[in-house]
Amino acid sequence: MPNWVAIAGTCAGSLMLVWVALLVILWRAKPDDMTVRNAVRLVPDLLRLIKRLAGDTTLPRGVRVRLVVLLGYLAMPIDLVPDFIPVIGYADDVVIVALVLRSVVRAAGPEALERHWPGTPEGLQLVRTLCG
């Protein structure tokens, strides 16, 4: 008979290890000139970008659905890593936003970002770097 507590502990430990690895990759892949201040300044522009992209009827339906789900996830008070944990609390949001925006760029093209970007050209360049 399997020991469910040991199995659950092993699964939780494995998931935590994968999550930490993703955070390390994200940290190492960030642009050298990306500071916390720059990232915080991007938040309102990113939210407006996601909202505008989600409302663009010229984009494929699957892309818009992903963006609406992303907005819902960002609005939820429950996260994969609680936001009150310093530094990594918001890292899960950054990873998820980056993954969704990367899929949007692949499906809709980088022109969609340029067309809907509400911020500065420097901010758009940071978003492009974030999206790969």
Side-chain angles (χ1 to χ4, degrees):
M1 182 165 179
N3 183 350
W4 292 110
V5 173
I7 293 172
T10 302
C11 288
S14 299
L15 285 173
M16 183 59 80
L17 184 62
V18 168
W19 189 247
V20 169
L22 285 173
L23 292 177
V24 168
I25 290 168
L26 175 68
W27 181 259
R28 294 186 51 80
K30 77 172 183 57
D32 292 335
D33 58 345
M34 179 73 148
T35 64
V36 173
R37 178 177 287 171
N38 289 341
V40 169
R41 287 182 187 161
L42 278 180
V43 170
D45 291 336
L46 274 171
L47 290 174
R48 280 189 296 241
L49 172 69
I50 294 167
K51 184 179 175 191
R52 289 178 180 180
L53 286 168
D56 185 353
T57 58
T58 63
L59 297 179
R61 184 181 201 145
V63 169
R64 292 181 307 182
V65 168
R66 277 179 253 161
L67 291 164
V68 169
V69 169
L70 174 63
L71 285 171
Y73 173 78
L74 293 174
M76 270 190 343
I78 299 170
D79 282 343
L80 296 174
V81 177
D83 291 339
F84 64 83
I85 298 174
V87 182
I88 65 168
Y90 291 102
D92 64 331
D93 296 338
V94 172
V95 169
I96 291 170
V97 168
L99 291 173
V100 171
L101 286 179
R102 180 175 285 188
S103 74
V104 168
V105 168
R106 287 186 179 157
E111 303 81 27
L113 288 181
E114 294 168 11
R115 196 169 56 241
H116 293 289
W117 179 249
T120 64
E122 295 82 18
L124 178 59
Q125 186 58 40
L126 283 172
V127 171
R128 283 186 188 144
T129 303
L130 180 70
C131 295

